[in-house]
Amino acid sequence: MKNVIISSDGDRMVYSVPDIVADNLAEYCIAFCDKWLRTSPQAKKYRIKDCLCYNEGDFIEYLNTYIFPREQSVFIENLGPMGIDESQIPERYQNCPTFNF
């Protein structure tokens, strides 16, 4: 398991995910956003009118439920907001893969 930093226009969250996800974070996130959310019957609850409503926790739920049910991703730490109020990423996480939904 490796740590990643993900965010959906809010706080930056650190999760421990399977190595293959961390090593290919963008590909897994894009598959979630561009394919699964739009086409999967299980993702219907995220489709509201013509919009997709989801956050980084929903991505983790997708990984845990449908992709890696035997290798559960877990929340590690909230690093605070993105943007103008953004604080430095702690040194222990500076080499982590990141993705902003």
Side-chain angles (χ1 to χ4, degrees):
M1 302 288 281
K2 294 181 180 176
N3 291 336
V4 297
I5 302 169
I6 55 178
S7 177
S8 58
D9 295 333
D11 288 356
R12 297 166 296 166
M13 305 293 187
V14 179
Y15 285 89
S16 177
V17 299
D19 291 357
I20 193 167
V21 175
D23 294 341
N24 301 282
L25 184 61
E27 288 85 359
Y28 277 90
C29 291
I30 290 168
F32 169 72
C33 295
D34 288 349
K35 185 176 179 186
W36 188 82
L37 283 175
R38 296 175 190 281
T39 63
S40 174
Q42 293 86 3
K44 186 176 181 178
K45 67 181 180 180
Y46 302 109
R47 297 189 290 266
I48 300 170
K49 296 187 181 186
D50 292 331
C51 297
L52 294 173
C53 297
Y54 63 93
N55 62 33
E56 65 280 338
D58 299 320
F59 172 66
I60 297 300
E61 180 181 336
Y62 155 80
L63 291 178
N64 288 342
T65 304
Y66 303 105
I67 308 302
F68 295 101
R70 293 187 177 156
E71 197 172 2
Q72 296 286 291
S73 299
V74 295
F75 174 75
I76 302 296
E77 184 175 350
N78 181 333
L79 299 180
M82 294 177 39
I84 198 158
D85 296 330
E86 185 173 299
S87 59
Q88 288 268 149
I89 294 175
E91 188 173 324
R92 65 187 173 279
Y93 299 127
Q94 292 205 350
N95 293 321
C96 292
T98 62
F99 192 88
N100 297 318
F101 290 97

